[in-house]
Amino acid sequence: MNNQKKILIVDDETINLDFFDVMLSKLGFSVEMASDGVQALEKVKQFMPDLILLDNIMPKMTGWEVTKILKKDPKYKGIPIVMFSALDDVKDKVEGFELGVDDYITKPFNFAEVLARIRAVLRNRELFAQIVARESRLNLAEELSSDMKKHLQDFMTNIDELDAAISAISGSGETAETKKTFKLVKEKSKLVRRQVDELDARIEKTIAEWEMLKKNEIDLPMLETHIRKNME
């Protein structure tokens, strides 16, 4: 599951840092530590963690302040954050979630619960990343289909012009050889038209199916909100 996932632990209590370092390292995670918010921001730049365990009440900079800075930066806003706090207050938790915190754990914590939440957050992030990649591929495919449809229209215009040119030069004075050539070209033209029509119909059907999917699927911000709510 973890595939050497990188976790940054941010806490001003050395005993907590040491505890998580030992326990998570034994489970196969790559661990870095920071003792305050300022140091945490530097570690994020250097370590680029897959998840941050972030204490809220710290000197120099609170966990909320760290979260605000990270969530405003496009490079780091996707890093999931599990926040620790000694305050078991619903209002504080709601504010944390609104800032972009993925999960919230009240001290004193149980390591089994913390580990379960870490794994749940990582699973959800991986799922979210897969959905983002899927949506990106669908958008690219949709753009490609639209481009193909336009090119097919241009191609059909060229076929029309070719047929018109053949009609203009055919008639009296044709040799048996040119008649044979014109006939072959017209047959090929009809075949190409039929194939283009079939391809155009398939593109239209695909575009219609994508439009139906878009109407029925949940968008990414709503999905992320739904995931967070389920973890509360």
Side-chain angles (χ1 to χ4, degrees), residues 10-43:
V10 187
D11 199 313
D12 61 323
E13 297 181 26
T14 304
I15 188 171
N16 289 336
L17 292 177
D18 292 340
F19 173 76
F20 279 114
D21 183 24
V22 171
M23 298 300 289
L24 293 175
S25 295
K26 283 183 177 180
L27 291 169
F29 293 97
S30 176
V31 178
E32 282 286 337
M33 297 175 288
S35 57
D36 59 60
V38 175
Q39 189 180 36
L41 294 175
E42 289 301 315
K43 289 282 186 177

Side-chain angles (χ1 to χ4, degrees), residues 5 8 13 17 26 57 64 81 98 102 119 128 130-131 150 164 170 173 184 204 210 215 219 232:
K5 294 292 186 183
L8 174 62
E13 297 181 26
L17 292 177
K26 283 183 177 180
I57 309 301
W64 282 346
I81 296 174
E98 288 178 347
D102 289 75
R119 286 175 168 160
F128 189 74
Q130 290 173 9
I131 293 172
K150 181 180 180 302
S170 62
L184 179 61
E204 283 287 349
W210 283 336
K215 289 179 181 179
D219 61 22
E232 292 183 30

Side-chain angles (χ1 to χ4, degrees), residues 89-100 104 232:
D89 187 280
V90 173
K91 183 180 178 181
D92 289 333
K93 289 184 178 181
V94 169
E95 184 172 349
F97 284 124
E98 288 178 347
L99 287 175
Y104 216 106
E232 292 183 30

Side-chain angles (χ1 to χ4, degrees), residues 43-59:
K43 289 282 186 177
V44 168
K45 295 176 183 177
Q46 300 165 10
F47 188 54
M48 197 61 182
D50 295 298
L51 181 142
I52 301 172
L53 285 178
L54 178 63
D55 189 26
N56 188 19
I57 309 301
M58 295 184 297

Side-chain angles (χ1 to χ4, degrees), residues 21-216:
D21 183 24
V22 171
M23 298 300 289
L24 293 175
S25 295
K26 283 183 177 180
L27 291 169
F29 293 97
S30 176
V31 178
E32 282 286 337
M33 297 175 288
S35 57
D36 59 60
V38 175
Q39 189 180 36
L41 294 175
E42 289 301 315
K43 289 282 186 177
V44 168
K45 295 176 183 177
Q46 300 165 10
F47 188 54
M48 197 61 182
D50 295 298
L51 181 142
I52 301 172
L53 285 178
L54 178 63
D55 189 26
N56 188 19
I57 309 301
M58 295 184 297
K60 297 184 181 180
M61 188 180 293
T62 67
W64 282 346
E65 291 171 326
V66 173
T67 300
K68 286 179 183 178
I69 292 172
L70 292 177
K71 295 304 178 181
K72 287 181 180 178
D73 193 322
K75 187 175 181 181
Y76 307 118
K77 68 178 182 180
I79 300 174
I81 296 174
V82 176
M83 185 172 284
F84 289 114
S85 179
L87 302 174
D88 189 13
D89 187 280
V90 173
K91 183 180 178 181
D92 289 333
K93 289 184 178 181
V94 169
E95 184 172 349
F97 284 124
E98 288 178 347
L99 287 175
V101 172
D102 289 75
D103 205 353
Y104 216 106
I105 299 176
T106 304
K107 291 183 178 180
F109 52 79
N110 176 284
F111 180 72
E113 178 190 359
V114 174
L115 180 60
R117 289 178 180 268
I118 288 173
R119 286 175 168 160
V121 169
L122 289 175
R123 276 197 303 271
N124 286 334
R125 280 291 166 170
E126 287 178 356
L127 174 61
F128 189 74
Q130 290 173 9
I131 293 172
V132 170
R134 172 182 171 273
E135 186 174 85
S136 177
R137 288 194 297 269
L138 283 174
N139 287 336
L140 287 173
E142 189 173 6
E143 290 176 9
L144 178 61
S145 293
S146 296
D147 288 343
M148 286 180 63
K149 191 168 179 61
K150 181 180 180 302
H151 290 319
L152 284 178
Q153 291 171 348
D154 294 338
F155 187 68
M156 288 300 292
T157 299
N158 292 330
I159 291 292
D160 290 338
E161 292 174 355
L162 177 61
D163 286 345
I166 292 173
S167 298
I169 62 177
S170 62
S172 60
E174 288 183 353
T175 64
E177 188 64 29
T178 56
K179 285 182 178 180
K180 182 179 179 181
T181 301
F182 287 153
K183 182 180 179 181
L184 179 61
V185 171
K186 288 179 180 179
E187 289 174 352
K188 291 295 183 181
S189 176
K190 288 180 181 179
L191 176 62
V192 170
R193 284 179 183 278
R194 185 168 66 251
Q195 291 173 335
V196 168
D197 286 341
E198 290 173 356
L199 181 56
D200 188 54
R202 289 176 61 186
I203 293 174
E204 283 287 349
K205 182 180 178 182
T206 301
I207 292 175
E209 289 174 350
W210 283 336
E211 289 299 324
M212 288 298 296
L213 282 173
K214 284 182 179 180
K215 289 179 181 179
N216 295 327

